[in-house]
Amino acid sequence: MAGGRIRDEDVALVRERTDIVDVISEQVTLRGGGGRNLKGLCPFHDEKTPSFTVAADRNVYFCHGCGKGGDAINFVMEIDHLRFTEAVEKLAARAGLQLRYVEGTAAPGSPRPQPGQRQRLVAAHVAAAKFYAEQLMTPGARAAREFLAQRGFDRDAATAYGCGFAPDSWDALTKHLRQLGFTPEELNTGGLAKPARSGSLIDRFRRRLVWPIRDTGGDVIGFGARKLFEDDDGPKYLNTPETPLYKKSTVLYGIDLAKREIGKRGQAVIVEGYTDVMACHLAGVPTAVATCGTAFGSEHISVLRRMLMDTDTFKGEIIFTFDGDAAGQKAALRAFADDQRFVGQTFIAVGPDGMDPCELRLARGDASVRDMIASRERLVSFALRTKLTEYDLDSPEGRIGGLRATAPLVAQIKDRSLRPEYGRILAGWLGTDVETVQQAVAAATKGERIETATRPRTRPDDPQLLVEREALKLAIQAPVLAGPLFDNAEADCYTDPLHVQVRQAIHAAGGASRGVAGANWIAAVTGQCDDLMAQSLVAQLAVEEFRYDGEADPHYVHVTVARLQLAQVDRRVHAVKSRLQRINPVTQKDEYFGLFNDLVSMETTARALREQASTGLL
């Protein structure tokens, strides 16, 4: 700025008229810290426990973590990277005060002092936002109005969110702002205009629907512009470039409107676009914000943490609403990695049929948007399920691959106390035992190779193996008695590889229904065994006593086969339940209810078999 300093009495008046709690609350959620002071997470360094203290009665702050402190002027200088004069000018404008400058401090012949750069750039953006909003009502902006109307936004909504239109002109905004006294350097520095090849200055946005982007304090700091015409060869969305005001890694669209509700509800909803923010707010989800032309990153997290008061005492929710497609899933996995950088509970909400909030509101109404947010799923669960979709979990190879891919994700969970629980959930989805998953997670935590070799059952007292052995024994020793009941029990009722071979040999020999007890039948079954161990097992079963006092009878056959089939049905029930847990009932409704009906049928069958197998004969 030009020379000259603000009068001391005016600086004192700015301090007196500025409520430091109001100023800091635009950046940090403050809560009672004991006594008269308020506490929050420091905006100047990362911390988990609040050490940033505001003494409201003395209008000062201090951070016990990084040592920064002072009054409202110091805070604005630090948070907005302003010089002293610029910070005073910003707070004066906020309080509606007219500043006076000390005469004679400027060089002879120099112009009268002007506001600092930031305030000049903000003023230019405010004027640009008003210009664009006025242009939205002109005949040339018909496509912009139709775009909004087709997405369910009327004139009141457009006005509330400051929607505007950049006209079909190379320099309409530039000329307008120049007439208001803004210099070419200010327009170029602020990203409102850019140099043309001819050397003249032209508008950055042209023939586009425009949204003003504001910071947490409500100052307009940039714009987002959406393409409307096919012959526009620019990107679909065009944003203000990096400027002294606009830092895309920290900017969140809608934060000025959402900040109070974020702090009040302890929740922030991250959506993907400007219309999604509008749709959420209008549908009753006022905590929605969106990134502007960049991925959600660590600096965005820092902004939200201060709003959420995200600490071990005050836990907030971050809810992502990525699309259900591959790109959205990739974004969710990336967010999972960032999630480890802060304490808050992180969720994801996916709309039915992969619809974003704007599409969902238009198709099914406001309540459906609220329902989508309410049906959120923990991001850890979503990340695990998303990874598992890459594998065929109905095959042993797929389950092993899925475990190797997801165990490292569980190992990454920052809160170690949560790892065992997610290990149990993962075991259910994979259809494997918890111990195997926990061992894989432990190996991943240490950076070791995950060994997941499956060992066959070898315990002779395993109840399942005893039932399988008894059924085979009946078919070999008493085929006439075992008959069709045995033959109707499918091969996958058996879990031991040797038992499966003998069951297949019996089938190849004609089945128990066609067998006649005796040496010829045993020889026929043995002849169908290619494996020497299977042949040996047939010989053992041919002479082994039944696990039943007395001669085998039809009732014993019914109980044995019922127990054999019950174990098979229970395994299928477990597998279907595992699949149901991995399916989102909102986005995969048909598959979910199809499996649910299968589950009901299988559980009915299981109850009937359980009644048949309930007698204690084995």
Side-chain angles (χ1 to χ4, degrees):
M1 60 172 277
R5 67 179 179 83
I6 304 169
R7 289 190 177 187
D8 291 342
E9 56 267 34
D10 285 1
V11 173
L13 186 61
V14 167
R15 287 196 179 99
E16 181 183 326
R17 295 283 184 88
T18 299
D19 187 329
I20 196 170
V21 173
D22 286 346
V23 172
I24 293 178
S25 292
E26 292 178 353
Q27 306 287 341
V28 180
T29 294
L30 299 173
R31 290 189 171 90
R36 295 171 296 176
N37 295 338
L38 300 172
K39 298 192 77 173
L41 293 179
C42 180
F44 307 122
H45 79 286
D46 288 332
E47 61 178 5
K48 296 179 181 178
T49 303
S51 59
F52 184 85
T53 303
V54 179
D57 57 343
R58 294 182 295 280
N59 245 15
V60 294
Y61 72 93
F62 182 76
C63 176
H64 297 275
C66 66
K68 292 186 177 180
D71 56 22
I73 298 173
N74 299 120
F75 182 83
V76 172
M77 289 173 66
E78 288 283 352
I79 202 73
D80 290 328
H81 306 289
L82 302 179
R83 292 173 296 175
F84 177 82
T85 300
E86 291 175 320
V88 174
E89 288 167 346
K90 179 176 181 178
L91 292 174
R94 177 191 180 101
L97 298 174
Q98 182 68 43
L99 296 175
R100 295 168 297 170
Y101 295 81
V102 177
E103 295 291 338
T105 58
S110 63
R112 292 181 62 83
Q114 298 296 320
Q117 182 195 54
R118 187 185 192 282
Q119 290 306 102
R120 288 287 295 171
L121 296 183
V122 168
H125 278 76
V126 170
K130 182 180 179 183
F131 173 81
Y132 286 141
E134 292 170 349
Q135 292 296 312
L136 185 63
M137 296 299 111
T138 63
R142 178 178 177 180
R145 294 193 298 273
E146 289 178 347
F147 178 94
L148 291 170
Q150 289 166 2
R151 284 154 182 78
F153 304 120
D154 57 19
R155 184 170 180 173
D156 289 341
T159 300
Y161 291 89
C163 298
F165 178 69
D168 185 6
S169 169
W170 290 107
D171 58 359
L173 176 66
T174 299
K175 287 180 177 178
H176 175 73
L177 295 178
R178 292 285 287 116
Q179 289 173 357
L180 294 177
F182 295 100
T183 67
E185 292 75 18
E186 288 171 334
L187 302 187
N188 186 37
T189 300
L192 294 167
K194 60 183 180 179
R197 293 179 182 177
S198 63
S200 62
L201 211 58
I202 60 173
D203 296 349
R204 180 167 295 278
F205 306 116
R206 176 171 168 263
R207 303 172 69 212
R208 284 176 174 253
L209 174 61
V210 175
W211 286 268
I213 299 170
R214 295 180 171 86
D215 62 12
T216 53
D219 287 340
V220 181
I221 58 173
F223 294 92
R226 210 277 188 189
K227 180 168 74 172
L228 297 171
F229 303 99
E230 290 298 327
D231 60 349
D232 184 339
D233 58 0
K236 185 176 180 180
Y237 282 95
L238 186 63
N239 293 90
T240 293
E242 293 281 310
T243 73
L245 296 181
Y246 188 90
K247 306 292 184 185
K248 65 181 180 182
S249 61
T250 63
V251 171
L252 288 167
Y253 175 72
I255 192 69
D256 57 310
L257 300 173
K259 63 184 179 185
R260 295 196 184 281
E261 287 297 326
I262 288 174
K264 179 180 176 182
R265 301 188 183 200
Q267 176 196 85
V269 177
I270 313 301
V271 298
E272 292 197 321
Y274 307 111
T275 56
D276 292 327
V277 171
M278 294 172 67
C280 282
H281 288 191
L282 294 172
V285 183
T287 57
V289 294
T291 58
C292 302
T294 187
F296 185 84
S298 59
E299 291 184 83
H300 295 120
I301 289 172
S302 297
V303 172
L304 290 177
R305 284 188 64 216
R306 299 196 298 268
M307 301 288 172
L308 288 166
M309 189 67 170
D310 178 27
T311 69
D312 292 332
T313 304
F314 302 100
K315 288 189 175 294
E317 291 184 355
I318 303 286
I319 304 174
F320 294 98
T321 60
F322 297 121
D323 292 341
D325 58 14
Q329 292 178 352
K330 183 178 180 181
L333 292 174
R334 184 173 60 245
F336 170 77
D338 282 334
D339 175 44
Q340 303 308 304
R341 304 177 64 150
F342 65 111
V343 181
Q345 298 169 287
T346 316
F347 298 80
I348 187 164
V350 179
D353 302 321
M355 287 189 285
D356 60 35
C358 183
E359 294 168 336
L360 186 57
R361 176 176 179 262
L362 190 62
R364 306 187 184 183
D366 291 350
S368 62
V369 178
R370 297 193 296 272
D371 290 344
M372 180 183 79
I373 302 303
S375 63
R376 63 199 179 278
E377 175 184 8
R378 291 189 182 277
L379 184 59
V380 178
S381 298
F382 183 84
L384 292 173
R385 282 199 307 105
T386 299
K387 204 68 179 174
L388 288 177
T389 59
E390 301 173 13
Y391 300 88
D392 176 15
L393 300 185
D394 293 328
S395 69
E397 295 81 5
R399 288 191 290 272
I400 289 173
L403 177 58
R404 285 176 174 165
T406 52
L409 294 181
V410 177
Q412 289 174 28
I413 297 174
K414 186 175 182 180
D415 187 343
R416 290 176 177 269
S417 65
L418 292 176
R419 293 178 190 173
E421 181 59 29
Y422 279 105
R424 284 188 284 273
I425 293 172
L426 181 57
W429 290 348
L430 289 167
T432 189
D433 60 279
V434 175
E435 183 182 358
T436 298
V437 175
Q438 302 291 25
Q439 289 174 350
V441 171
T445 303
K446 299 174 184 177
E448 299 173 354
R449 175 178 169 79
I450 299 173
E451 300 292 345
T452 55
T454 303
R455 296 186 296 272
R457 300 168 185 260
T458 55
R459 287 177 46 202
D461 60 341
D462 188 310
Q464 175 61 27
L465 297 187
L466 291 175
V467 171
E468 293 176 16
R469 194 178 183 94
E470 205 70 6
L472 294 173
K473 198 187 303 180
L474 282 167
I476 291 171
Q477 293 187 28
V480 175
L481 190 63
L485 203 60
F486 173 88
D487 291 339
N488 288 336
E490 301 170 359
D492 62 358
C493 288
Y494 301 85
T495 59
D496 186 281
L498 274 181
H499 292 175
V500 174
Q501 286 191 50
V502 174
R503 163 63 177 78
Q504 291 173 333
I506 294 170
H507 177 74
S513 302
R514 298 180 62 181
V516 178
N520 288 335
W521 168 244
I522 295 171
V525 174
T526 303
Q528 295 296 331
C529 294
D530 297 327
D531 189 291
L532 290 177
M533 293 184 67
Q535 294 174 7
S536 175
L537 179 58
V538 172
Q540 293 176 45
L541 295 175
V543 298
E544 194 173 286
E545 295 290 336
F546 290 113
R547 299 176 59 83
Y548 175 52
D549 293 334
E551 292 294 323
D553 56 22
H555 180 63
Y556 184 59
V557 174
H558 273 84
V559 171
T560 301
V561 174
R563 290 189 175 183
L564 181 70
Q565 292 175 317
L566 176 60
Q568 175 208 36
V569 173
D570 282 343
R571 288 193 297 273
R572 290 179 175 175
V573 166
H574 181 74
V576 171
K577 285 182 176 179
S578 174
R579 290 178 64 187
L580 279 172
Q581 291 178 59
R582 302 193 302 268
I583 292 175
N584 189 320
V586 177
T587 60
Q588 298 167 283
K589 184 183 298 183
D590 292 343
E591 183 179 1
Y592 183 88
F593 284 107
L595 285 172
F596 182 80
N597 290 334
D598 291 343
L599 179 63
V600 171
S601 176
M602 283 187 284
E603 289 187 329
T604 300
T605 301
R607 281 195 296 272
L609 289 170
R610 199 166 281 112
E611 290 178 4
Q612 295 177 39
S614 61
T615 182
L617 294 175
L618 290 177

